[in-house]
Amino acid sequence: MDDLKERAAYIRGLAEGLKIGDDTKEGRVLGEVISLLSQIAEEIDLIHINQAEMEEYMVSLDEDLSDLESDVYEDEDFLEMTCPHCHEELCFDPDLLDDDEVDTLLCPACGETIYGDEEWDEESGQDEDGDQG
């Protein structure tokens, strides 16, 4: 971007070297065009600086989000199912099904039992009677 600012300064120098002043209509127009070019070059420079800062911020944000996802999900697989009562989409740790201390699982949305005394087939999402659970 320095190239644009340098070129605008060069054009300003050329105009001054030609002794084009503001005393003629053409001189005023040329002076305004040169001033406009300098302002445009400065604005483009600021845009590039802001964009570079934003890119740096986005990379940092992406890294933070990735760390957060790793902490929260820890690459675990979750069992997904639909509550047979309220049809809410549910997600839970499949290890709960193998836990001897857990007798039933309740739907957090409606409070109804979604896993209980019957055996649960993780593959089909059905209990041993073939009912969707």
Side-chain angles (χ1 to χ4, degrees), residues 109-125:
C110 68
E112 293 290 328
T113 302
I114 56 173
Y115 171 78
D117 297 329
E118 301 171 339
E119 289 297 316
W120 176 262
D121 181 8
E122 290 183 38
E123 294 294 320
S124 68

Side-chain angles (χ1 to χ4, degrees), residues 79-92 97 104-108 110-133:
L79 183 59
E80 296 181 16
M81 64 172 288
T82 303
C83 175
H85 308 286
C86 68
H87 307 289
E88 184 77 21
E89 290 294 320
L90 306 173
C91 238
F92 58 91
L97 300 177
T104 60
L105 290 177
L106 302 178
C107 173
C110 68
E112 293 290 328
T113 302
I114 56 173
Y115 171 78
D117 297 329
E118 301 171 339
E119 289 297 316
W120 176 262
D121 181 8
E122 290 183 38
E123 294 294 320
S124 68
Q126 298 177 342
D127 62 25
E128 63 184 12
D129 296 329
D131 294 332
Q132 183 72 27

Side-chain angles (χ1 to χ4, degrees), residues 1 43-59:
M1 282 304 99
E43 288 295 320
I44 289 174
D45 191 40
L46 289 173
I47 288 170
H48 281 275
I49 289 169
N50 288 337
Q51 193 220 352
E53 289 174 357
M54 197 173 304
E55 284 178 10
E56 186 177 317
Y57 177 73
M58 292 300 292
V59 166

